[in-house]
Amino acid sequence: MPMQPAVLEQLKVSAGETFRITDHDPRWLPPHLRDLPREEVKAGAADLLAESKAALAEAQELLYADDRYSLLLVFQAMDAAGKDGTIKHVMSGVNPQGVQVSSFKVPSALELDHNFLWRYTVALPERGRIGIFNRSYYEEVLVVKVHPNILASQKLPPGARGRQFWNDRYQDINAFERHLARNGTVILKFFLNVSQEEQRDRFLERLDNPDKHWKFSPNDLAERAYWDDYQAAFEEAINATSTRWAPWYVIPADRKWAMRAAVADIVSTTITGMDLRYPEVPAEVEARFGEIKAQLEAEKGEDAGPSKDTPKKSGKKNKRKSKG
């Protein structure tokens, strides 16, 4: 069964709420599941994931047919938190033609010649589709804030790069998201909250398994050294940008199965709660449906007749030779 709305609200950072990462347990479970055996809870999460995926697949068709809204899912997290796996598991049941996933790496020369939101704007989902940002414009107030030397490559006008600079970026992001929301893009933002200990164990697992070596980069360890700086950057960014029109959800990520079930439930609950409906057929078109149906039925009747491959009988009778 889907989680109760009150449970999902515990994962949501409401507008104006003071958010502290330390108040959110990376191994959090809903209260009614905490005392159950682990395997029973895990099986329940698998059932919830399956139900949510089925609901999402059905709702996606309606989203496409309605053609007034789009859905943007933003995923942000520390390395090894499980972004790729969560996207894969949650979206595995939907029609791939209705989903687009964008992963943003180091900006190109062309992208650096535009404002910091430009490359994300051109990747936004069109009406009727689901767009997924695997990392996003929030990197501009996370990794760029932790490594301010990156700003030197962004060709910005001269000016101070202190607190007001970052506040201006938060305001730009809020205005950008509000513009999208006003124009039919529903935005859900997920911070996958993994603990430092769990990240370490996942890195060790990748190093111990040759099939997962490709997932590990020495840079992952270098970035881990900035853990506290990243936690502070996430905290400030979420406090500044969790709004009524684009809320943040802090998803406990130490248990992958629980994380995936929670994200799937939030996405399916959101999309099924949208004002979606199939387009109405114009009365003059619908009035012709009876005539069109009759024509198609007539064709069906013709198809049931003799096959074209059946030899035709000759109109002449065969003469039999009389026996003498």
Side-chain angles (χ1 to χ4, degrees), residues 177-245:
E177 291 178 340
R178 188 161 195 171
H179 167 73
L180 295 179
R182 284 171 170 166
N183 286 273
T185 299
V186 175
I187 305 167
L188 295 175
K189 300 179 297 194
F190 299 102
F191 168 49
L192 307 185
N193 182 27
V194 68
S195 68
Q196 193 170 16
E197 295 75 21
E198 181 64 22
Q199 186 198 56
R200 176 200 60 210
D201 292 345
R202 291 180 187 178
F203 282 164
L204 287 171
E205 181 186 2
R206 291 177 180 181
L207 292 170
D208 290 339
N209 185 347
D211 292 338
K212 292 187 177 182
H213 282 179
W214 64 273
K215 287 187 172 184
F216 186 82
S217 165
N219 189 57
D220 294 339
L221 187 61
E223 287 297 279
R224 181 173 163 82
Y226 293 92
W227 181 274
D228 291 342
D229 294 330
Y230 273 110
Q231 297 296 288
F234 270 113
E235 205 167 88
E236 185 169 332
I238 291 173
N239 274 313
T241 61
S242 197
T243 58
R244 177 179 50 80
W245 55 87

Side-chain angles (χ1 to χ4, degrees), residues 266-319:
I266 292 167
V267 174
S268 63
T269 298
T270 298
I271 196 170
T272 54
M274 292 164 62
D275 176 30
L276 301 176
R277 53 183 179 271
Y278 288 106
E280 292 185 6
V281 178
E284 61 273 16
V285 175
E286 191 168 7
R288 294 192 57 213
F289 282 2
E291 172 191 340
I292 295 171
K293 182 179 179 182
Q295 182 178 340
L296 294 172
E297 292 288 355
E299 290 181 13
K300 187 177 179 181
E302 291 175 5
D303 291 343
S307 170
K308 294 180 180 179
D309 297 329
T310 303
K312 295 181 179 179
K313 293 182 179 179
S314 172
K316 297 180 180 179
K317 294 183 179 179
N318 293 330
K319 294 181 180 180

Side-chain angles (χ1 to χ4, degrees), residues 43-236:
D47 290 341
L48 174 59
L49 178 60
E51 290 177 17
S52 297
K53 285 164 60 176
L56 181 57
E58 184 177 340
Q60 181 199 23
E61 181 180 350
L62 183 54
L63 178 71
Y64 177 81
D66 183 274
D67 201 31
R68 291 178 298 148
Y69 298 95
S70 59
L71 182 66
L72 176 62
L73 309 179
V74 174
F75 288 88
Q76 292 288 160
M78 297 292 289
D79 293 321
K83 296 186 304 298
D84 293 344
T86 299
I87 292 169
K88 174 183 175 181
H89 282 80
V90 172
M91 307 306 294
S92 60
V94 301
N95 185 337
Q97 294 184 93
V99 179
Q100 56 196 62
V101 181
S102 301
S103 298
F104 299 96
K105 306 299 183 183
V106 177
S108 67
L110 174 63
E111 290 166 341
L112 288 172
D113 273 335
H114 291 81
N115 68 76
F116 80 92
L117 290 170
W118 180 81
R119 68 171 177 158
Y120 307 100
T121 303
V122 297
L124 289 169
E126 62 194 74
R127 299 187 194 282
R129 292 170 65 91
I130 299 171
I132 300 172
F133 282 3
N134 185 348
R135 300 192 188 275
S136 69
Y137 42 89
Y138 280 96
E139 293 293 283
E140 301 294 335
V141 291
L142 295 170
V143 64
V144 176
K145 189 173 186 181
V146 172
H147 300 289
N149 57 296
I150 295 175
L151 286 172
S153 67
Q154 295 192 351
K155 305 179 182 180
L156 298 173
R161 303 291 187 254
R163 175 170 293 277
Q164 189 56 49
F165 174 85
W166 300 108
N167 287 340
D168 289 344
R169 284 208 161 180
Y170 298 141
Q171 290 178 23
D172 289 340
I173 289 172
N174 286 338
F176 174 64
E177 291 178 340
R178 188 161 195 171
H179 167 73
L180 295 179
R182 284 171 170 166
N183 286 273
T185 299
V186 175
I187 305 167
L188 295 175
K189 300 179 297 194
F190 299 102
F191 168 49
L192 307 185
N193 182 27
V194 68
S195 68
Q196 193 170 16
E197 295 75 21
E198 181 64 22
Q199 186 198 56
R200 176 200 60 210
D201 292 345
R202 291 180 187 178
F203 282 164
L204 287 171
E205 181 186 2
R206 291 177 180 181
L207 292 170
D208 290 339
N209 185 347
D211 292 338
K212 292 187 177 182
H213 282 179
W214 64 273
K215 287 187 172 184
F216 186 82
S217 165
N219 189 57
D220 294 339
L221 187 61
E223 287 297 279
R224 181 173 163 82
Y226 293 92
W227 181 274
D228 291 342
D229 294 330
Y230 273 110
Q231 297 296 288
F234 270 113
E235 205 167 88
E236 185 169 332

